[in-house]
Amino acid sequence: MKSVVLFLFGLLLALPPIAFAADTSPPPFPHAPLNVANGCFVESVALCDDFLDRNGASAWCRLLQWGAQEDAEVVAGHAVAVFELNGKLWSWDVNFGFSLQDIDPGKKESVTLVAAPLIAKYPRFNAYFPVYRLDTPQTPAAQPPAEISGLEEVGLRDASRVATRLATHRPVNLVQFTFPKDGQSQPGAACAFVFNGRLCIYLPNVGTVPFRTSALSVANLRQLQEMIRKVLPGATDLKAR
């Protein structure tokens, strides 16, 4: 595999975005966010799942991602959902919620045009390679993991929350492991899933890393451990939850 290029993913959520006038348009439908750490990618996946459930598999919805070169394995700079509904183009951003876009829906396939006003909300960061991601229909997880709450280990709680939600539309694997940090062994957790032909790993303390791999399996623990080690060197003792 190619080496992982790490962008400053978490900063987009850790630092406040630029202040914009609030969008007074009423939300087009109710949506409950995941509210997990470093979650813009998985939050956008969940929004797309929700939208397609409500409007049918042929409805137009894309995950718009920037900070990621198409052929690189990266932790992306940011991700939002973009969709067309009732002749209007909307976006949903974990930091801003729903926003009605002043763009002709007939030009929705122009990713550069659509991305420009969304990227402008983050002037402190350089935005690279805006690209659409589109999932293909998958079979929901046969035995979805249960959400774990009330734990001191926040990472496991967030990874389980992502796994439970995304499992309604695709196979997932909730895993635990340990990794070295500051000379000590720390507990870690992750959710593995497939999106847009990539094997993706959501790590609460890092974000989501999409990997190019020929084996799109969330069940191969050896492969998952090697992927996690590319992001957290020294990770070991991986096991399914």
Side-chain angles (χ1 to χ4, degrees), residues 36-92:
V36 295
N38 296 314
C40 68
F41 190 102
V42 291
E43 292 274 16
S44 299
V45 172
L47 187 284
C48 289
D49 289 345
D50 193 4
F51 175 80
L52 294 174
D53 281 347
R54 294 171 180 273
N55 297 281
S58 62
W60 193 91
C61 186
R62 302 288 187 270
L63 185 151
L64 172 61
Q65 181 184 21
W66 64 85
Q69 195 164 4
E70 178 62 25
D71 61 352
E73 292 166 356
V74 302
V75 177
H78 197 45
V80 304
V82 180
F83 58 91
E84 182 182 5
L85 184 63
N86 299 326
K88 297 179 179 180
L89 200 62
W90 290 81
S91 69
W92 185 88

Side-chain angles (χ1 to χ4, degrees), residues 3-7 72-76:
S3 61
V4 177
V5 180
L6 295 179
F7 284 86
E73 292 166 356
V74 302
V75 177

Side-chain angles (χ1 to χ4, degrees), residues 66-221:
W66 64 85
Q69 195 164 4
E70 178 62 25
D71 61 352
E73 292 166 356
V74 302
V75 177
H78 197 45
V80 304
V82 180
F83 58 91
E84 182 182 5
L85 184 63
N86 299 326
K88 297 179 179 180
L89 200 62
W90 290 81
S91 69
W92 185 88
D93 184 323
V94 67
N95 291 319
F96 293 96
F98 288 104
S99 297
L100 186 60
Q101 300 302 297
D102 187 21
I103 295 174
D104 178 0
K107 299 179 180 179
K108 61 181 179 289
E109 297 291 352
S110 175
V111 64
T112 303
L113 178 66
V114 173
L118 304 175
I119 291 173
K121 296 180 179 182
Y122 298 94
R124 298 182 184 91
F125 303 92
N126 292 324
Y128 304 97
F129 313 111
V131 63
Y132 281 144
R133 306 292 189 191
L134 174 64
D135 204 15
T136 54
Q138 301 182 62
T139 302
Q143 296 181 316
E147 183 176 335
I148 300 168
S149 59
L151 292 176
E152 293 182 5
E153 214 293 85
V154 175
L156 180 57
R157 181 199 67 191
D158 283 3
S160 73
R161 185 174 297 173
V162 169
T164 301
R165 177 76 73 89
L166 298 194
T168 60
H169 292 78
R170 58 191 58 80
V172 302
N173 198 351
L174 176 63
V175 298
Q176 290 180 270
F177 55 91
T178 59
F179 67 99
K181 182 179 179 181
D182 300 330
Q184 297 185 341
S185 180
Q186 301 288 326
C191 171
F193 61 98
V194 174
F195 186 86
N196 189 230
R198 304 282 187 92
L199 183 54
C200 302
I201 309 290
Y202 165 70
L203 298 137
N205 59 327
V206 176
T208 302
V209 187
F211 289 88
R212 280 186 178 275
T213 176
S214 58
L216 292 176
S217 171
V218 300
N220 188 329
L221 294 182

Side-chain angles (χ1 to χ4, degrees), residues 4-17:
V4 177
V5 180
L6 295 179
F7 284 86
L8 298 180
F9 180 95
L11 289 181
L12 285 176
L13 299 182
L15 296 178

